[in-house]
Amino acid sequence: MDVRFGPRGDLFICDWYNPVKGHMQYSLRDTRSDKTSGRIWRVTAKDRPLQAAPKIAGEPIPKLLDLLKSPDYRTRYTAKLELRGRDAKQVKTALDAWLAGLDAKHPRYLHQQLEALWLY
């Protein structure tokens, strides 16, 4: 049904379970249909520890802005959510300074600029 990566690098696979097999062979109102059961698998690499999840809640604005450089989408998204709850003028001032301090030779420089644009 769905596949997502967690913030620590683990993979979650969600599967809906229904004892009635098939697609349209049975009515959606079939009493044997199970509308409450499902399975969630968590997949991790053997003999390799998970990444430490970054601290986001309550962190200072400059540290949250540095999280926008993360290769992990979920980290960047959550940092932007936290920044939305902060004073807009303070965030804009810090974002202007952060953007001016980016390394133009960094391979992800354009992506970092795009993250700043989205935050503006």
Side-chain angles (χ1 to χ4, degrees):
M1 297 297 292
D2 200 9
V3 177
R4 300 284 171 148
F5 281 101
R8 300 181 58 194
D10 36 3
L11 175 68
F12 289 91
I13 302 169
C14 302
D15 181 29
W16 172 57
Y17 173 75
N18 191 356
V20 178
K21 302 295 180 202
H23 296 281
M24 297 308 294
Q25 291 92 335
Y26 298 97
S27 168
L28 294 175
R29 294 185 179 99
D30 191 310
T31 57
R32 296 173 295 159
S33 293
D34 187 349
K35 295 177 174 55
T36 59
S37 296
R39 299 173 284 207
I40 299 176
W41 287 281
R42 180 172 169 241
V43 181
T44 60
K46 286 186 178 183
D47 302 324
R48 190 170 68 191
L50 294 173
Q51 303 170 9
K55 186 170 180 333
I56 294 176
E59 289 296 300
I61 292 173
K63 187 167 183 184
L64 292 171
L65 291 172
D66 277 339
L67 290 176
L68 297 180
K69 296 177 181 178
S70 171
D72 179 42
Y73 167 77
R74 186 181 306 256
T75 299
R76 295 189 315 267
Y77 178 76
T78 310
K80 284 185 278 192
L81 285 178
E82 179 73 15
L83 286 164
R84 285 183 198 158
R86 306 295 179 90
D87 180 62
K89 289 180 182 178
Q90 290 179 354
V91 172
K92 184 184 180 309
T93 302
L95 183 57
D96 290 341
W98 181 80
L99 191 54
L102 290 177
D103 178 11
K105 294 180 183 172
H106 191 279
R108 292 180 53 90
Y109 175 67
L110 293 176
H111 186 266
Q112 293 166 1
Q113 285 184 315
L114 188 58
E115 289 289 344
L117 177 65
W118 288 333
L119 193 57
Y120 277 122

